[in-house]
Amino acid sequence: MASDLKRGEFIGSLDCGTTSVRFIVFDKHADIVAQHQLEFPQYYPNPGWHEHDADEIQQHADKCVEQATLELEKSGWAKESIKVIGITNQRETTVAWSRKTGKPLCKAIVWADSRTKNTVAHYEHKLQVTGIEVSPGVWKKGEDGVTALRDITGLPLSTYFSAIKLRWMIDNYPDVSKAHEADDLLFGTNLLGGVEKGVHISEVTNASRTLLLNTTTLTWEPSLLEFFGLRPSILPKLVSTSEAALIGNKCLNQGEAKCTYGTGAFLLFCTGAEIVESRHGLLSTVAYQAGPGAKPVYASKEVVTNHRGVLFVTAFSGLLAPYWDPGAAGMLIGVSQYTNPSHIARATLEANAFQTRAIIESMKLDSGTDLKHLKVDGGMTNGDLAMQILADIGGFGVIRPEMRESTALGSAICAAAAINLFGWDLSKPETLTEVNTKGNREFIPHMDETLRAKKWKKWQDAVERSKGWEEGVDDEV
């Protein structure tokens, strides 16, 4: 009976990833009390396209919450023990839906989708010729325009970011275009708003991946809405929150870094209270804001998507940071009669390590400091061989926690801190000392430095050969 169930204090986390949804219930030590996970369908209607059905994600999320709550009750705890719920989602994955009905107007375009190369080319041309109005009557174009865009958003024009995907939807889907014209369009990243309650909110770390947020003022930037031809009414209200996996790994101090290896690899380097403008191909983003009115903390964020001479450049959606070439193509090079499947498998694991190192090398140049160790989480980190390869090629220690659901944990920590549960406070890292302390394993680099440098040079050569395979074209020029 429900009346016989114990009452405790737990936090729920709804983690909506690229291929699955999970709901996890944590206690104050970050031990998992109950959980449920479901994969949802992926859609690939054309080469380079990757789509989700937002309604399906919502249905799977509801089911995960329901099943995890039942598991909690079976273990003897009342569902009311869950005091607060945090949500973490895909960031750049773009959803367009009707203000009136709350229903999606088309399938969501996933962050890894590369159909928008021509849209990027159009706005690159517009940035060169017309530019951006940076203050009333003052325009910057050409290279000054490129710099102005980076200064405002921390981002370059790329197929990766949400404004480009949304603009493609408006230009190519009549239902989305009509909704925009009729002021019936709402825009968000991955999760839907609530039409029944009139709720349409997002938060600053999601917003910082759209190409529409001023990362200094943490407000939507009117000049960019004008640049992309978007109505202000499509945008959600912004609230404070965090990059969940950064918080889950407790990388709250300047100079700490983590990488989540899931469908993609997402590397964050905490830069502290000031935005560090990268000169080496990295992005500036909002890491977290501890609460309304709190000073934001920033990060550099990037997506990283015995081999016997075989190298695999995994540019399935072009090359993102630090290369930024949407026209690059995936490439397997060095194949000979001697090559067998094990060499290709090894090259795949090494590609992950090389791409991570490329970003960290740029971070070192921007920050002026060496990275001593990298904290990791995500499904791929379960492989000891993959983590040892990462340490060997990177030349740094790799720290893997026993509890690796760091993204879910991060959203749980933020939610608990918001209601002062357990005394957690993001501005006081010492309040989290008892969180996720079960233990870590550190992988130490063993590779000879000369061999590491040689392999790094070969990788860089392979990347150069993969570039420029399929360039975007501005159809209006």
Side-chain angles (χ1 to χ4, degrees):
M1 296 291 292
S3 59
D4 297 328
L5 297 176
K6 295 177 290 184
R7 298 294 180 108
E9 289 187 321
F10 303 131
I11 325 110
S13 176
L14 182 62
D15 181 356
C16 299
T18 307
T19 60
S20 70
V21 178
R22 71 199 75 186
F23 186 71
I24 303 177
V25 182
F26 294 99
D27 67 12
K28 67 178 181 179
H29 300 294
D31 293 333
I32 295 175
V33 182
Q35 63 179 319
H36 194 76
Q37 180 174 355
L38 292 171
E39 293 187 353
F40 55 83
Q42 309 292 310
Y43 299 94
Y44 305 97
N46 293 296
W49 292 32
H50 187 181
E51 297 179 341
H52 289 159
D53 185 316
D55 275 340
E56 289 177 343
I57 295 175
Q58 184 69 59
Q59 292 158 11
H60 282 67
D62 291 343
K63 190 69 173 177
C64 284
V65 173
E66 177 186 340
Q67 292 299 313
T69 303
L70 288 174
E71 182 181 328
L72 181 68
E73 291 180 331
K74 287 178 181 177
S75 65
W77 295 100
K79 63 183 179 182
E80 290 79 10
S81 299
I82 302 174
K83 301 304 181 184
V84 66
I85 293 174
I87 300 174
T88 179
N89 65 299
Q90 296 178 44
R91 302 283 189 257
E92 299 82 5
T93 293
T94 302
V95 182
W97 70 94
S98 166
R99 185 190 308 274
K100 295 175 184 175
T101 68
K103 294 296 183 181
L105 295 163
C106 61
K107 282 192 169 64
I109 298 181
V110 179
W111 59 268
D113 185 289
S114 61
R115 76 183 72 181
T116 55
K117 289 187 180 76
N118 290 356
T119 306
V120 170
H122 168 73
Y123 283 101
E124 286 175 338
H125 179 74
K126 183 175 181 179
L127 199 56
Q128 293 293 320
V129 175
T130 306
I132 297 174
E133 189 175 20
V134 295
S135 60
V138 179
W139 292 75
K140 290 194 175 181
K141 60 183 180 180
E143 287 306 307
D144 288 341
V146 173
T147 301
L149 180 67
R150 290 293 292 258
D151 288 345
I152 295 169
T153 67
L155 311 175
L157 288 170
S158 168
T159 60
Y160 183 32
F161 303 115
S162 306
I164 293 291
K165 300 178 192 296
L166 179 62
R167 187 65 250 178
W168 189 95
M169 288 176 171
I170 294 171
D171 293 339
N172 290 273
Y173 291 142
D175 286 349
V176 180
S177 178
K178 290 174 184 176
H180 188 237
E181 288 302 312
D183 201 20
D184 183 42
L185 177 64
L186 293 179
F187 152 70
T189 51
N190 183 238
L191 291 177
L192 300 184
V195 67
E196 294 177 1
K197 300 291 185 180
V199 175
H200 183 212
I201 62 172
S202 185
E203 47 73 44
V204 292
T205 67
N206 265 275
S208 71
R209 316 299 292 170
T210 63
L211 277 171
L212 299 174
L213 185 81
N214 185 314
T215 54
T216 301
T217 65
L218 300 186
T219 58
W220 298 116
E221 178 59 41
S223 65
L224 294 177
L225 289 167
E226 179 69 25
F227 180 72
F228 289 110
L230 301 173
R231 290 174 177 266
S233 59
I234 70 173
L235 297 172
K237 176 186 175 182
L238 295 178
V239 297
S240 58
T241 187
S242 76
E243 285 277 4
L246 191 75
I247 302 299
N249 278 293
K250 297 190 285 187
C251 294
L252 301 176
N253 299 309
Q254 184 175 352
E256 295 180 327
K258 73 88 201 177
C259 194
T260 298
Y261 294 97
T263 305
F266 302 88
L267 199 156
L268 276 161
F269 181 89
C270 186
T271 62
E274 303 297 330
I275 298 173
V276 175
E277 296 181 6
S278 176
R279 299 182 182 277
H280 302 95
L282 305 185
L283 309 176
S284 299
T285 195
V286 180
Y288 65 92
Q289 186 183 21
K295 188 174 179 61
V297 174
Y298 295 92
S300 295
K301 176 176 180 179
E302 316 307 330
V303 179
V304 186
T305 52
N306 186 333
H307 56 69
R308 293 293 181 180
V310 178
L311 290 168
F312 187 12
V313 181
T314 52
F316 302 128
S317 300
L319 285 169
L320 299 179
Y323 307 107
W324 296 110
D325 183 354
M331 183 183 71
L332 191 65
I333 193 170
V335 177
S336 69
Q337 289 178 317
Y338 178 81
T339 302
N340 64 44
S342 67
H343 300 141
I344 296 173
R346 176 81 183 199
T348 303
L349 294 178
E350 292 197 352
N352 167 74
F354 283 126
Q355 288 180 303
T356 302
R357 176 174 171 176
I359 290 169
I360 289 175
E361 291 291 331
S362 293
M363 287 179 173
K364 286 161 58 177
L365 291 171
D366 284 333
S367 66
T369 59
D370 282 335
L371 183 72
K372 301 301 182 185
H373 58 257
L374 178 68
K375 297 179 181 180
V376 298
D377 62 273
M380 187 176 180
T381 65
N382 291 325
D384 290 356
L385 178 60
M387 295 301 96
Q388 187 59 55
I389 289 172
L390 176 60
D392 286 340
I393 287 176
F396 45 74
V398 175
I399 298 177
R400 183 182 67 188
E402 184 176 325
M403 203 293 292
R404 294 163 208 164
E405 297 290 355
S406 297
T407 303
L409 175 59
S411 72
I413 290 173
C414 291
I419 64 168
N420 198 34
L421 190 64
F422 310 136
W424 291 351
D425 186 339
L426 296 184
S427 66
K428 298 176 181 178
E430 64 272 15
T431 64
L432 302 173
T433 53
E434 294 184 5
V435 177
N436 199 17
T437 59
K438 279 192 170 181
N440 301 310
R441 176 175 175 183
E442 183 168 5
F443 295 84
I444 304 297
H446 299 307
M447 184 179 290
D448 175 76
E449 182 59 42
T450 302
L451 177 58
R452 182 183 297 123
K454 181 179 178 181
K455 290 168 75 71
W456 177 238
K457 174 64 167 58
K458 292 292 288 183
W459 166 259
Q460 290 173 306
D461 290 345
V463 167
E464 289 302 312
R465 295 181 185 222
S466 77
K467 290 181 177 179
W469 184 257
E470 184 181 1
E471 301 290 349
V473 176
D474 182 357
D475 293 329
E476 297 184 19
V477 177

